[in-house]
Amino acid sequence: MSLNTDFPIGVFDSGVGGLTVLKALTHKFPHENFLYLGDTARLPYGSKSPQTIRKYTQQALSFLIERKVKALVIACNSASSQFPEKEYRGICVETVIEPGSLMALKATQNNRIGVLGTRATVQSHAYEKVLKQLSEEQGHTQGLEVFSEAAPLFVPLAEEGWSDDPITNLIAFRYVQPLVQKQVDTIILGCTHYPILQASIQKAAGASITLIDSGQAVAESLQAKFDSGIIPLRPSTSSERHIQLLSTDLSSQFEMLSRQILAPAIPSGFEFVEI
Amino acid sequence: MSLNTDFPIGVFDSGVGGLTVLKALTHKFPHENFLYLGDTARLPYGSKSPQTIRKYTQQALSFLIERKVKALVIACNSASSQFPEKEYRGICVETVIEPGSLMALKATQNNRIGVLGTRATVQSHAYEKVLKQLSEEQGHTQGLEVFSEAAPLFVPLAEEGWSDDPITNLIAFRYVQPLVQKQVDTIILGCTHYPILQASIQKAAGASITLIDSGQAVAESLQAKFDSGIIPLRPSTSSERHIQLLSTDLSSQFEMLSRQILAPAIPSGFEFVEI
C-alpha cells in the first residue's frame, strides 16, 4: 500500500489518557496530521479481561485504518499489553510498552526499575517481559529487577482533575512507597493517564527517581521510523496540519479534557463515531 | 404473559455496585430466585452520555426478559435516571430512584435532602425531579430543598476495597462537607456502590444525618408489589432458591467481589454472557 505523506498518524486510547501521548507527538512533529480515537463509550479498558481488550483494540485499529492513516499508535497500556504485533493490516503499529521500556533501561543506573499501571497491565506482566527481553538483547543477561504496583485510583483522580492535590499526594505515596522500598531508581508511568499526576507521583517518589513518560518515549521511537523512511514524513512546507479527535461517546467532558491536556496544540475538530 | 412464580427477579447493573441491592433483596425475600446481570465489559455507565446509557440499559433488560424473569430491577442509578418507564415489554420495572426518594422523604425532618451520585446521575437531576414530584403528590407543595454532589472517586474506592480507610475518610469528607454546610438531615446514597463505603460516609456526615441505602428502599417497594399481587410470590415451601450471576466480561474480580458483597448469601453460579 502506498502511504500518502498527508495521511494522519492514528492514535488510539480507551479514553483521554492517550492525549498525553498525542500531546508529546504533536509537539515533536509539528507538521504531521493526527487522527485520535478515544473509545470513551467503553472505557476503562484496565478492568476488562485480556480477550475483551484485544477485541476492542482490533476494532479500533480497523476503524482508524479505514479512515486512512500512515501509522498507528496504541496510546493505552492495557491495550498495548494485549497487542504485541508490530503491524496490523499493512500499517506499522507503535505501542507504549517497548518505547517506555527502552527509555527506562537507558535511564536506570542500578538496574532496579519500578512500573506503575492499571490492574490489567500489572497482571499481564507486559513491562516485565519486554524489559527483560530488551535487556538481554542489549547483552545485560542478568541483574535487572522489575517491581510493579497497580494504581487503580490514578485514572479517576486524573479525570477528576485533582492533580497536585493533598489527597492525590497521599494516594500516590501509598502506591509509590512499595517501589521506593525496593530501591528502584526509575519508575515507568505505565498508564497514559499518569503523566497528568506527575507532580504528585514525583513528590511521593522523591527527586532522585526518574519518571518515564510514555508519550516522550513513543515520540523518540516514531522519530527513528521517520528517519529510516518506514513512515513517510510530511514536508515542513505543507499546509497547516490537522488534529482531529474522534470519540465513541458524546460526553462533553471529552472535549473539555482534550483541550486542557493538548494545550498549546489546538484540536481542529471533534467527531462522534460508532465503532 | 403468565408469570411463573419460579421465574427469578432480574437485577441489572453496570457492574458490581448493584450487588448491594441484590444483597438487600436476597435478605428480604429468602425464597425468591434471582438472576443478576453485571455489564462489566462496558462499565462504568456514570461517565457515559444519556443516549448510550439508555441503549445499553434496553439491551440488558431485553437480555434478562429473554431468560424469563417475573420482574426487573435496575440496580444502577445512572441507568435508572435514563429509564423512567415502569414497565418494559410487559414486565414491571423497579428503579432505584423512586424507592430511595420515598424513603428519604419519610426520613427527613427539616425538608433538606442531600444526594451523592456519579456525575451522570447528578447532571440528570433525576433525584431532584422525583423528590419534588413525590413531595407534591404528598401535598407538600413547598419547602423541600435538594442539594446534589458528584462523587466520582467513590466507585473506584469501593472497587479498590478501601472501605473505612483514612484516605476514603478524607475523600468522603471533601464530597460530603458541602452537603453538611447546606444543613441537610438526610443523604441519599445515589449510587449502588456507595453502601460499600457507608462507614466512611457516615463519619464524614456525622451521626445526626440519615443515610438512605437504595437496596433497602427497593426491597420495601418490591414488598408492596408482592403484597398487591403485581408480582407473584414464590411459596416458602418451594425447593431451594437460586442466585445466578451473569457478567459480560470474564474478569475474575467480579466473582471475588460478588462473594464478598453478597455474603452470607451464596451465589449458585457464575456465567459469562455476550449481550
Side-chain angles (χ1 to χ4, degrees):
Chain A
M1 194 187 324
S2 94
L3 296 170
N4 191 315
T5 57
D6 277 338
F7 283 0
I9 296 169
V11 181
F12 156 63
D13 179 39
S14 57
V16 296
L19 292 165
T20 66
V21 175
L22 181 62
K23 183 194 173 93
L25 299 182
T26 56
H27 183 75
K28 179 94 172 176
F29 308 111
H31 305 291
E32 293 298 331
N33 292 315
F34 290 94
L35 181 65
Y36 182 90
L37 171 61
D39 190 8
T40 48
R42 304 193 289 199
L43 69 81
Y45 282 16
S47 53
K48 296 184 184 16
S49 69
Q51 296 88 327
T52 301
I53 295 171
R54 187 168 164 85
K55 183 174 78 178
Y56 288 179
T57 302
Q58 284 175 324
Q59 288 171 353
L61 296 182
S62 292
F63 182 90
L64 285 170
I65 288 170
E66 274 148 36
R67 296 281 286 243
K68 307 265 187 232
V69 290
K70 64 181 177 184
L72 289 162
V73 175
I74 303 181
C76 168
N77 283 267
S78 305
S80 293
S81 67
Q82 303 307 328
F83 202 89
E85 294 94 321
K86 307 221 165 199
E87 201 183 283
Y88 189 61
R89 295 174 53 189
I91 304 291
C92 75
V93 176
E94 191 71 70
T95 69
V96 280
I97 294 180
E98 194 168 309
S101 300
L102 274 171
M103 198 179 241
L105 287 171
K106 261 191 218 164
T108 185
Q109 301 284 324
N110 70 358
N111 262 345
R112 300 174 78 83
I113 296 175
V115 179
L116 289 168
T118 63
R119 202 166 272 133
T121 298
V122 167
Q123 283 173 355
S124 74
H125 300 287
Y127 273 101
E128 204 170 330
K129 285 177 206 157
V130 171
L131 282 165
K132 296 215 159 158
Q133 188 191 324
L134 290 171
S135 177
E136 279 174 25
E137 284 171 19
Q138 291 174 356
H140 306 295
T141 47
Q142 58 183 8
L144 177 70
E145 294 213 68
V146 182
F147 307 93
S148 299
E149 281 292 322
L153 280 163
F154 276 173
V155 169
L157 282 168
E159 288 183 351
E160 185 73 327
W162 292 4
S163 52
D164 205 12
D165 179 289
I167 285 177
T168 306
N169 293 347
L170 272 173
I171 294 173
F173 188 80
R174 191 177 287 186
Y175 287 140
V176 170
Q177 207 50 31
L179 298 177
V180 172
Q181 283 168 1
K182 299 288 187 191
Q183 297 179 293
V184 304
D185 70 349
T186 305
I187 294 177
I188 297 174
L189 302 181
C191 168
T192 51
H193 271 88
Y194 297 178
I196 299 169
L197 307 180
Q198 184 145 1
S200 290
I201 300 170
Q202 190 77 66
K203 267 185 206 156
S208 65
I209 290 182
T210 305
L211 301 185
I212 303 295
D213 174 342
S214 315
Q216 285 165 22
V218 171
E220 285 193 16
S221 180
L222 275 184
Q223 180 67 61
K225 285 183 179 168
F226 280 121
D227 291 345
S228 64
I230 296 174
I231 311 171
L233 196 70
R234 187 165 184 260
S236 61
T237 53
S238 310
S239 57
E240 205 189 339
R241 62 98 164 267
H242 286 87
I243 303 170
Q244 185 72 15
L245 304 187
L246 317 178
S247 66
T248 57
D249 196 13
L250 287 164
S251 159
S252 59
Q253 232 199 333
F254 178 73
E255 192 169 330
M256 192 198 69
L257 275 168
S258 303
R259 291 188 189 279
Q260 270 178 20
I261 295 171
L262 288 182
I266 297 168
S268 318
F270 291 87
E271 193 183 330
F272 165 67
V273 296
E274 291 199 63
I275 65 172
Chain B
M1 194 186 326
S2 94
L3 295 171
N4 192 315
T5 58
D6 276 338
F7 282 180
I9 296 168
V11 181
F12 157 63
D13 178 40
S14 57
V16 296
L19 292 165
T20 66
V21 175
L22 181 63
K23 182 194 173 94
L25 299 181
T26 56
H27 184 74
K28 179 94 171 174
F29 308 111
H31 304 292
E32 294 297 331
N33 292 316
F34 291 94
L35 181 65
Y36 182 90
L37 171 61
D39 189 10
T40 48
R42 303 191 290 197
L43 68 81
Y45 282 16
S47 54
K48 297 187 186 6
S49 70
Q51 296 87 329
T52 300
I53 295 171
R54 187 168 166 87
K55 184 174 77 178
Y56 288 0
T57 302
Q58 285 175 324
Q59 288 170 353
L61 296 183
S62 293
F63 182 89
L64 286 169
I65 288 171
E66 274 148 35
R67 296 281 288 244
K68 306 265 187 234
V69 291
K70 64 182 178 184
L72 288 163
V73 175
I74 302 182
C76 167
N77 283 267
S78 304
S80 294
S81 68
Q82 302 307 328
F83 202 89
E85 295 94 321
K86 308 221 166 199
E87 201 183 282
Y88 189 61
R89 295 173 52 188
I91 304 290
C92 76
V93 176
E94 192 70 70
T95 69
V96 281
I97 293 179
E98 196 168 309
S101 300
L102 275 171
M103 198 178 241
L105 286 171
K106 261 191 221 166
T108 184
Q109 301 286 325
N110 70 357
N111 262 346
R112 300 174 78 82
I113 295 175
V115 179
L116 290 168
T118 63
R119 200 167 275 132
T121 298
V122 167
Q123 283 174 353
S124 74
H125 301 287
Y127 274 101
E128 203 170 331
K129 285 178 206 156
V130 171
L131 282 164
K132 296 214 160 161
Q133 188 191 323
L134 290 172
S135 177
E136 279 174 25
E137 284 171 20
Q138 291 174 358
H140 305 296
T141 48
Q142 56 182 12
L144 177 68
E145 294 214 68
V146 182
F147 307 93
S148 300
E149 281 291 323
L153 280 163
F154 277 173
V155 169
L157 281 168
E159 290 183 349
E160 184 74 325
W162 292 4
S163 51
D164 205 12
D165 178 288
I167 285 177
T168 306
N169 293 348
L170 272 173
I171 294 173
F173 188 80
R174 190 176 289 186
Y175 287 139
V176 170
Q177 206 49 30
L179 298 177
V180 172
Q181 282 168 0
K182 300 286 186 191
Q183 297 178 292
V184 305
D185 70 349
T186 305
I187 294 177
I188 298 174
L189 302 181
C191 168
T192 51
H193 271 88
Y194 297 178
I196 300 169
L197 307 181
Q198 185 144 2
S200 290
I201 299 170
Q202 191 75 67
K203 265 185 209 159
S208 65
I209 290 182
T210 306
L211 300 185
I212 303 293
D213 174 342
S214 316
Q216 286 165 22
V218 171
E220 284 193 16
S221 181
L222 276 184
Q223 181 66 63
K225 286 185 180 168
F226 279 121
D227 291 346
S228 65
I230 296 174
I231 310 171
L233 196 70
R234 187 165 184 259
S236 61
T237 52
S238 310
S239 56
E240 203 188 343
R241 63 100 163 266
H242 286 86
I243 303 169
Q244 185 72 14
L245 304 187
L246 317 177
S247 67
T248 56
D249 195 15
L250 288 164
S251 159
S252 59
Q253 233 198 333
F254 178 74
E255 192 170 330
M256 192 197 70
L257 276 166
S258 303
R259 292 189 188 280
Q260 269 178 21
I261 294 170
L262 288 181
I266 297 167
S268 318
F270 291 88
E271 194 183 328
F272 165 67
V273 296
E274 290 198 64
I275 65 173

